[in-house]
């Protein structure tokens, strides 16, 4: 079996998976394909970020305190600040310029990262069901853009188009859904 839940359960417990042979190759190929498209075709800068971040970074993206039960905390030396495995590369990418000022003329800044992600999914419905959904560890390719708030809706549409391009190239059927979007624009 190339999707092996039994072995992963022996290694790590439930909600992990061991991918073998062609499935492992497919996962790696898809990650590389997406990153290559986003960097070469759409001009994103690839980032290989740390997979462990400190507490301030988790607060900065809203992972803490609301989703604290879903995070994997790393036990470090007692003198060090709390550290967490990233639940998504977005956490790191959105904090690249934390406590910095970026000149408007340098915008937009666009980043892509393909990383393993780690979530307890503590409050997830159906968390004990078998399958690939709601895993504790999974790979994800994340896009983040830092833009002038005036252009944020145009950038959102651009990012959606970048994601659609991937799906179209892979001939994967999809459906776009328009959700209610609340924006807070700060004019200083």
């Amino acid at each position: 079996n190339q999707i092996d839940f039994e072995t992963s359960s022996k290694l790590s417990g439930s909600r992990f998976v061991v991918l073998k042979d062609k499935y492992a190759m497919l996962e790696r190929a898809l990650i590389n394909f997406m990153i290559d498209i986003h960097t070469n075709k759409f001009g994103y800068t690839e980032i290989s970020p740390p997979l462990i971040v400190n507490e301030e970074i988790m607060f900065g993206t809203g992972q803490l305190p609301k989703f604290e039960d879903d995070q994997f905390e790393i036990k470090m030396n007692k003198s060090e600040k709390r550290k967490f495995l990233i639940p998504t590369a977005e956490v790191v990418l959105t904090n690249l310029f934390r406590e910095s000022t970026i000149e408007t003329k340098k915008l937009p800044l666009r980043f892509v990262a393909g990383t393993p992600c780690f979530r307890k999914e503590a409050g997830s419905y159906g968390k004990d069901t078998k399958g690939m959904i709601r895993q504790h560890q999974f790979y994800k390719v994340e896009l983040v853009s830092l833009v002038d708030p005036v252009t944020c809706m145009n950038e959102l549409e651009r990012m959606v188009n970048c994601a659609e391009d991937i799906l179209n190239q892979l001939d994967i059927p999809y459906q776009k859904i328009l959700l209610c979007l609340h924006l807070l624009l700060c004019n200083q």
Side-chain angles (χ1 to χ4, degrees):
N1 190 356
Q2 293 187 31
I3 300 177
D4 189 346
F5 294 105
E6 186 177 321
T7 300
S8 65
S9 183
K10 285 188 242 177
L11 296 170
S12 302
S14 65
R15 296 172 65 202
F16 290 92
V17 67
V18 171
L19 298 179
K20 298 177 183 176
D21 196 31
K22 304 243 186 264
Y23 283 84
M25 291 170 61
L26 177 61
E27 180 180 59
R28 179 174 44 84
L30 285 171
I31 292 165
N32 289 340
F33 171 74
M34 286 189 254
I35 291 172
D36 287 348
I37 295 297
H38 292 310
T39 56
N40 297 327
K41 184 174 181 179
F42 297 120
Y44 284 85
T45 299
E46 182 178 359
I47 302 292
S48 179
L51 302 179
I52 298 173
V53 294
N54 64 43
E55 187 174 19
E56 289 81 15
I57 300 305
M58 295 290 280
F59 271 102
T61 55
Q63 302 298 319
L64 297 178
K66 184 176 181 180
F67 301 110
E68 185 160 358
D69 289 344
D70 287 332
Q71 308 311 318
F72 281 105
E73 187 170 354
I74 303 296
K75 187 172 184 172
M76 303 289 280
N77 297 333
K78 290 182 181 181
S79 63
E80 291 192 38
K81 294 181 181 182
R82 294 173 72 195
K83 305 275 187 183
F84 297 86
L85 290 172
I86 62 168
T88 171
E90 175 187 355
V91 168
V92 185
L93 296 177
T94 57
N95 277 282
L96 289 174
F97 293 92
R98 184 177 185 267
E99 298 179 355
S100 300
T101 302
I102 304 169
E103 295 178 37
T104 305
K105 65 184 178 184
K106 293 184 178 180
L107 299 175
L109 296 173
R110 297 180 176 116
F111 304 104
V112 61
T115 64
C117 301
F118 307 91
R119 296 183 190 163
K120 287 184 184 175
E121 300 284 3
S124 299
Y125 171 77
K127 65 182 179 181
D128 296 323
T129 59
K130 289 188 176 188
M132 295 279 294
I133 296 178
R134 301 291 184 206
Q135 295 288 299
H136 289 308
Q137 175 185 322
F138 55 93
Y139 281 87
K140 186 175 172 187
V141 175
E142 190 80 51
L143 301 176
V144 167
S145 296
L146 303 178
V147 299
D148 186 319
V150 172
T151 65
C152 68
M153 291 308 294
N154 290 338
E155 187 66 16
L156 176 61
E157 185 65 29
R158 182 187 182 281
M159 291 174 80
V160 169
N161 291 337
C162 292
E164 280 186 286
D165 186 78
I166 297 289
L167 296 171
N168 288 328
Q169 286 193 55
L170 295 171
D171 200 23
I172 297 174
Y174 65 93
Q175 181 179 20
K176 278 180 22 176
I177 299 172
L178 182 61
L179 300 174
C180 178
L181 190 61
H182 176 74
L183 294 175
L184 175 63
L185 300 177
C186 301
N187 294 319
Q188 298 179 3

